[in-house]
Each structure stands twice: as structure tokens, then as C-alpha cells.
Amino acid sequence: MAVVYEKTKLLTDKPLHYCPGCTHGIIHRLVAEAIDELGVQERTIGIAPVGCAVFAYDYFNCDMMEAAHGRAPAVATGCKRVNPNNIVFTYQGDGDLASIGAAEITHAATRGENITVIFVNNAIYGMTGGQMAPTTLPGQVTTTSPYGRDPALCGYPIRVSEMLATLDGSAYIARVSVHDVKHIMDAKKCIRKAFETQIAGKGFSLVEVLSSCPTNWGMTPKEALKWLEANMIPQYPLGVKKEVE
Amino acid sequence: MAKLTIARETCKGCGLCADVCPRQLLALSKEINSRGYHPIDITDQDKCIGCAFCARMCPDAVITVEK
């Protein structure tokens, strides 16, 4: 018998601390598989964020660092510039990247830093208990928007991928989802492409992954993925937003 | 025939694998693992076609598929 599918060696054996059905685990695996397939494990440095993925350094079998809230792109900039041969990625949630880290990500992109950013967008603050995030959908109920997000009061959600794609420094920007197997396969291709963009020295690459938060959305894992497909994808259209040849 | 191996101790029983199985061969076990979850079980190993949809969907990478 031949192995059709097994856990990649780029993930450690430590059990993930994420809630049951949280898609962080899927995204971790896709990133790990991409690094494994490209054979760059020995020179890869990952930067963990603050948020649910704060312990990502325990799960990836490559060098990892932990950054202050939102500052992963700044730390990644240092790791890359000190030794441009390093393959550097950050793994950030929407609270980390789009709120407190909005300046860092925008300037890293506009400087064209040759790093890869994995941006996990689940439209809510997960770790802190389900507060409204910059990416929360209009009308979405969170602990700090109990009557639903009111754009007149709180503004509109930020489409990070489209925003960063307008900057001259960005080289590859894509938005993907992991709500079913087909989209997981597509997400894997885009994440791999982002790393290839960095290896080729083309500049800043980012993959935004639409993700679920069953616990803070108050749904079962299955319901959460259906809600993602029905509500998040219309707000955050999937696809490659920018690709520099 | 394909063979499914499930790491029962790290499975959290979210059931996402069961939803994507084209033959509906996966169901939560009645047993409880040491972390308090009902792990997933394959109900009929002989009918598994080894498509690995379950393994690709699993957030905790607990499924190994051989064919």
C-alpha cells in the first residue's frame, strides 16, 4: 500500500490548541506542505502573531519567532534584510494584521519587502472572546456589536487584499477560502505561488485565507463553513488580485 | 481497497471530515479520548475509496490515507 495522504513533517507532533473545527489547523497544514514541497525548510523563518495563532511557533517544524501585536511584518523585514537568502513568512489574523498592524502591513507591502504574508480572515477577534474586528461584516453580531455591526457607527469592513494590491510594491496578492476540499486545494496552490514569488525575488506576497470561528460565531463547525461561504465570500471575493510577472 | 488510520488522541471530533466523505463512511465514536472528545471512526473500511478528502479537510491532520 502506498501513502495517499499523511501529515507533513513540517508540522510538529504537538496537538493544536485551536477549538474543534477551527480552520487555522487547515491553513497551518497548507503552509507547512508548501514549504516542504519547495524544499526550503532549512532556510525558512516564520513569524507568529498575537491572536489565536500566537502559539504557531510550536507547530511549524522550521525556525520561528514571535512578534508583538501587529508587528510581524516589521520583524519579517529584519529577518529578510539581514540575510536575503532566508525565506520569511508571517502568519497573522485579521485583528493583528488589519487593525493594530495596519500600518506595518501597508508599509511592508509598499516597500516591496520580499516576504510572504499568510493573512487569516475570520471577521472577528477570536482569542480575546469574539469582539468586532476591522473585517467584521455589516450586520454581523459580535460581543461588541450585539445588535449587528452598524456601518453608520463603526464604518465598513476593510478589504485588505484589494487595498494592498493597489500598492506598487506588492507582487502577488490572492484571496482564497478553506470551506471545502476544492477551495482548500486552490488555497494550497496560491500559498505555494506566494512562496515561489518570494523565492524568485519578485517582492511582497500575501495570501488572504477566509477562515471560520465556530466558537465566537456561535455555530457548529459545519454551520460555520456554510456561513462563511454564504456571507463572507460575497463581501470578500476570491481570486488572484495581483500577480507581477 | 484503501486504509484509513486515525490518530484518535489528537482528534477533536469536529466532524468536518464526515461532511466531506463522498460515501458517508465517517462517524463520531461513542468512546471518549483522553482530551474529552469523541474521535472520528470509519464505519466500513472496505468501502473506503482512498480519495483523502477527509484528510485534506481535517484541521488537526489526524488522518493518514493509504491505498
Side-chain angles (χ1 to χ4, degrees):
Chain A
M1 276 185 144
V3 173
V4 179
Y5 198 92
E6 66 179 342
K7 180 174 173 175
T8 168
K9 293 179 193 69
L10 250 288
L11 288 175
T12 64
D13 288 332
K14 193 175 171 80
L16 303 178
H17 73 281
Y18 302 112
C19 304
C22 172
T23 47
H24 261 307
I26 299 175
I27 303 163
H28 276 28
R29 183 159 46 81
L30 297 181
V31 173
E33 285 174 359
I35 295 168
D36 194 13
E37 286 171 15
L38 293 167
V40 291
Q41 175 185 5
E42 295 301 323
R43 56 188 178 114
T44 298
I45 302 174
I47 318 292
V50 170
C52 287
V54 67
F55 298 127
Y57 50 75
D58 278 342
Y59 305 137
F60 286 99
N61 223 342
C62 61
D63 287 337
M64 295 291 290
M65 282 181 78
E66 172 63 47
H69 204 357
R71 273 61 183 183
V75 176
T77 297
C79 287
K80 188 70 181 182
R81 288 193 178 198
V82 161
N83 183 359
N85 194 41
N86 291 337
I87 303 301
V88 183
F89 76 94
T90 74
Y91 186 102
Q92 303 175 261
D94 48 333
D96 186 82
L97 181 143
S99 183
I100 192 168
E104 275 72 16
I105 193 66
T106 308
H107 287 274
T110 201
R111 291 194 307 267
E113 294 295 343
N114 193 22
I115 60 172
T116 298
V117 176
I118 309 299
F119 168 41
V120 181
N121 179 0
N122 61 6
I124 205 162
Y125 278 87
M127 184 185 74
T128 47
Q131 291 83 4
M132 183 172 65
T135 45
T136 295
L137 306 185
Q140 186 182 343
V141 172
T142 69
T143 54
T144 48
S145 59
Y147 306 109
R149 179 177 185 158
D150 176 9
L153 184 67
C154 314
Y156 291 90
I158 300 175
R159 292 188 184 93
V160 171
S161 290
E162 283 82 350
M163 186 175 81
L164 296 181
T166 65
L167 301 174
D168 292 340
S170 58
Y172 182 80
I173 309 275
R175 185 184 288 118
V176 297
S177 174
V178 289
H179 67 275
D180 61 26
V181 177
K182 176 187 176 292
H183 284 88
I184 288 172
M185 307 282 270
D186 289 345
K188 165 84 175 291
K189 281 184 203 149
C190 288
I191 289 171
R192 193 183 152 130
K193 180 79 189 169
F195 277 100
E196 285 170 349
T197 301
Q198 179 180 169
I199 291 167
K202 290 179 182 171
F204 182 86
S205 53
L206 177 141
V207 179
E208 175 176 348
V209 188
L210 300 185
S211 173
S212 69
C213 183
T215 300
N216 288 305
W217 291 358
M219 301 176 193
T220 65
K222 186 180 178 180
E223 286 167 357
L225 293 184
K226 288 205 179 313
W227 191 89
L228 185 164
E229 185 180 10
N231 297 280
M232 284 186 72
I233 292 177
Q235 176 74 32
Y236 299 112
L238 304 181
V240 177
K241 307 296 172 187
K242 185 173 184 182
E243 186 172 0
V244 173
E245 288 306 321
Chain B
M1 197 190 91
K3 181 171 171 245
L4 222 64
T5 312
I6 296 160
R8 294 169 66 89
E9 277 303 304
T10 42
C11 176
K12 294 178 188 149
C14 70
L16 291 182
C17 54
D19 295 333
V20 297
C21 177
R23 298 206 164 182
Q24 278 99 49
L25 295 176
L26 294 161
L28 293 183
S29 166
K30 289 197 173 110
E31 294 164 24
I32 295 178
N33 67 17
S34 66
R35 300 166 77 207
Y37 297 115
H38 292 279
I40 205 79
D41 260 343
I42 181 151
T43 53
D44 191 342
Q45 183 76 70
D46 294 340
K47 286 188 183 161
C48 176
I49 55 172
C51 67
F53 277 19
C54 53
R56 291 183 196 282
M57 196 71 211
C58 175
D60 293 278
V62 306
I63 302 174
T64 304
V65 184
E66 292 167 279
K67 198 172 178 181

